[in-house]
Amino acid sequence: MSHDEKHELIPDPFGELRLESGINPMDDQNDPVAMVLRHKDVRRCAHNWKTYQSGAQPGRIVVPSEVKIRDTRQIPFEVDPPQHGAYRALVEEWFRRPLESGYEEKLKSIVTKEIEKAVAQKSIDVVSDFALPLQSRALTLLLNLPAEEAETWISWGTHVFRSDESKLDASKANILYDYIDEQIDKAKENPGADLYSTLLESEYEGRLLSKEEIKGVMILTFAGGRDTVINMVTNTIAYLASNKQALGQLKNDPAIAGKAVEELIRYFSPLTHMGRVVTDDAQVCEHAAKANSRISLCWASANRDESVFEKPNEIILDRKVNPHVAFGFSHHKCLGAPHARQILKTLLQTLPSMIDSIEITDQEENIEAWGEIKRKVGYHKLIANFKSI
Ligand code: EMZ
């Protein structure tokens, strides 16, 4: 490992394999997964939904597979075209609300309060005392629910299906399912201007959505944008703590915030990969992908592909050409992306005018294991001191 690599915030562990074979073969619960590593192949496979499907069995495209802890289909995530498009059309507009005027201001007030709280305390754990409450409070805006609702979600911790004890925690998952059931029933009795009520009025193929379908959308909303957003925020704080000049750059030139958002999300790639089920015997990079086996689209590796990105392992806040796939690619690209982007943009525009520097005093890295490969995706714990201006 070179000197530079050692000090990299989020190192790229896929480099060698990406050049050599383009594949990282791994096992998940006795079911092989071939991780596809090159940008070109990741995009090609993501686009080819006929051969590489999302809808085979609820939970199977997630790695580690969640088939043992849920049978509710997450919608539109686990549905293939053409049904996928019809479901997506029902929710697309709602998930674009973060781009409407007024939303950013509300988000700014949430972000500002969280920074003020961090400054007021001598030392905080960025994961549990900053990123998690920020993610949950921002989610009340996205769902258009009262701010207090965030307290319940904060109590669930960073992941709704994983706990310290287990990577797949069924009892934890049940807390979320029961909560969602209850909320759907409440909205049925007492409709409001929130996402549940909107879904209860939505029609698919000429009929109202079923409770199971609504539950599928809501599970995705709670699970999909949770640890990913928390890692994005925590990694941003770790980056700004070790790069004081970046704080200055963002403060002096706030117009780069938009580009900086894309670059940080490319670099962090909070979702390492997402699986697909192979429908017909196929070949990816000379690797035989057998029917009914799984491949995964490794966004994190594609985002460091040296044939696409100049100096891929450097964070260049105003990077000009940035065709990253951190939010996925093609039909299934992330529904929550406008919301995630707004959260990071607001943070990058607010923090530099409130904070002089950030000091990290302790940390525990969150390292994922994918076969032989280990990847740092963020932190379990990041103890920091926010020093105000
Ligand atoms: C699924 C997934 C969605 C899955 C875009 O990613 O996120 C994971 O964190 C969940 O465990 O169920 O929602």
Side-chain angles (χ1 to χ4, degrees):
M1 209 184 256
S2 76
H3 178 81
D4 278 357
E5 265 175 307
K6 241 195 307 196
H7 287 91
E8 254 202 80
L9 189 61
I10 306 285
D12 166 31
F14 298 106
E16 249 171 67
L17 278 179
R18 189 172 50 242
L19 285 174
E20 275 169 16
S21 61
I23 295 282
N24 176 38
M26 61 161 284
D27 173 76
D28 168 34
Q29 302 162 68
N30 297 321
D31 187 13
V33 180
M35 294 176 76
V36 177
L37 304 178
R38 295 178 186 146
H39 190 272
K40 185 176 73 184
D41 296 325
V42 164
R43 295 218 295 193
R44 197 190 289 144
C45 294
H47 199 61
N48 184 356
W49 58 268
K50 282 193 177 147
T51 309
Y52 305 111
Q53 285 196 338
S54 295
Q57 186 186 2
R60 189 151 182 239
I61 59 168
V62 185
V63 189
S65 161
E66 293 171 351
V67 292
K68 293 193 186 126
I69 57 163
R70 66 178 167 89
D71 33 43
T72 300
R73 185 177 295 282
Q74 293 186 13
I75 296 176
F77 170 62
E78 291 170 328
V79 183
D80 291 294
Q83 291 86 348
H84 168 266
Y87 278 122
R88 192 166 169 126
L90 296 180
V91 286
E92 188 103 60
E93 205 185 304
W94 185 278
F95 281 85
R96 289 178 66 78
R97 286 171 50 258
L99 304 174
E100 286 172 6
S101 64
Y103 196 95
E104 212 172 323
E105 273 311 299
K106 290 186 200 149
L107 201 51
K108 189 167 177 186
S109 130
I110 291 176
V111 169
T112 306
K113 276 191 207 135
E114 291 306 321
I115 299 173
E116 281 168 355
K117 269 192 245 161
V119 169
Q121 280 167 282
K122 213 168 176 234
S123 158
I124 59 156
D125 176 1
V126 179
V127 179
S128 57
D129 306 335
F130 185 77
L132 171 63
L134 175 56
Q135 183 275 339
S136 293
R137 299 203 165 107
L139 190 61
T140 63
L141 277 189
L142 184 63
L143 306 190
N144 207 23
L145 288 168
E148 311 81 72
E149 206 54 32
E151 305 314 316
T152 305
W153 310 338
I154 293 169
S155 75
W156 296 337
T158 48
H159 204 287
V160 283
F161 296 142
R162 292 176 208 150
S163 60
D164 290 345
E165 295 78 46
S166 168
K167 270 196 171 170
L168 292 168
D169 190 326
S171 53
K172 196 165 181 191
N174 282 329
I175 298 178
L176 174 70
Y177 304 154
D178 291 348
Y179 171 84
I180 292 175
D181 276 338
E182 232 174 75
Q183 300 305 310
I184 297 173
D185 291 343
K186 255 170 69 183
K188 220 182 248 173
E189 272 165 40
N190 209 345
D194 50 70
L195 179 55
Y196 301 101
S197 308
T198 302
L199 291 171
L200 280 162
E201 285 173 357
S202 298
E203 281 188 22
Y204 173 79
E205 291 186 339
R207 54 154 180 91
L208 289 173
L209 285 180
S210 68
K211 186 170 178 188
E212 182 69 4
E213 287 168 322
I214 296 176
K215 196 169 166 182
V217 174
M218 295 311 301
I219 296 177
L220 175 61
T221 305
F222 278 107
R226 192 172 183 85
D227 53 330
T228 41
V229 169
I230 292 168
N231 284 334
M232 170 185 88
V233 169
T234 309
N235 289 339
T236 299
I237 299 299
Y239 167 67
L240 295 175
S242 56
N243 293 274
K244 210 183 160 194
Q245 73 283 7
L247 262 180
Q249 194 184 352
L250 288 160
K251 189 175 173 181
N252 298 333
D253 190 4
I256 65 165
K259 284 208 169 66
V261 164
E262 298 311 313
E263 176 63 349
L264 291 172
I265 290 176
R266 173 193 76 85
Y267 182 85
F268 299 149
S269 295
L271 181 68
T272 299
H273 62 156
M274 187 49 71
R276 294 287 188 269
V277 175
V278 183
T279 53
D280 286 311
D281 286 353
Q283 266 212 332
V284 191
C285 291
E286 290 164 35
H287 173 94
K290 285 233 158 54
N292 200 34
S293 75
R294 288 183 292 167
I295 64 161
S296 83
L297 312 171
C298 188
W299 321 115
S301 169
N303 284 341
R304 301 293 181 96
D305 192 324
E306 39 288 280
S307 68
V308 176
F309 301 98
E310 241 175 79
K311 300 190 182 157
N313 298 320
E314 278 178 34
I315 297 178
I316 302 169
L317 285 182
D318 57 353
R319 189 182 283 275
K320 308 279 172 313
V321 184
N322 199 347
H324 73 77
V325 289
F327 289 119
F329 184 72
S330 198
H331 314 83
H332 283 283
K333 57 183 184 308
C334 180
L335 253 183
H339 179 65
R341 287 183 159 117
Q342 272 315 15
I343 294 176
L344 187 52
K345 189 166 161 216
T346 309
L347 184 63
L348 295 180
Q349 285 175 334
T350 312
L351 195 72
S353 62
M354 295 176 71
I355 294 292
D356 171 66
S357 61
I358 301 166
E359 190 198 355
I360 306 293
T361 55
D362 196 10
Q363 63 186 60
E364 198 186 302
E365 295 185 339
N366 180 357
I367 312 278
E368 305 170 331
W370 306 116
E372 302 284 299
I373 299 282
K374 303 232 176 321
R375 173 174 194 249
K376 174 181 170 192
V377 68
Y379 299 83
H380 288 304
K381 190 172 92 179
L382 185 73
I383 309 298
N385 183 353
F386 284 45
K387 295 180 181 155
S388 65
I389 284 180

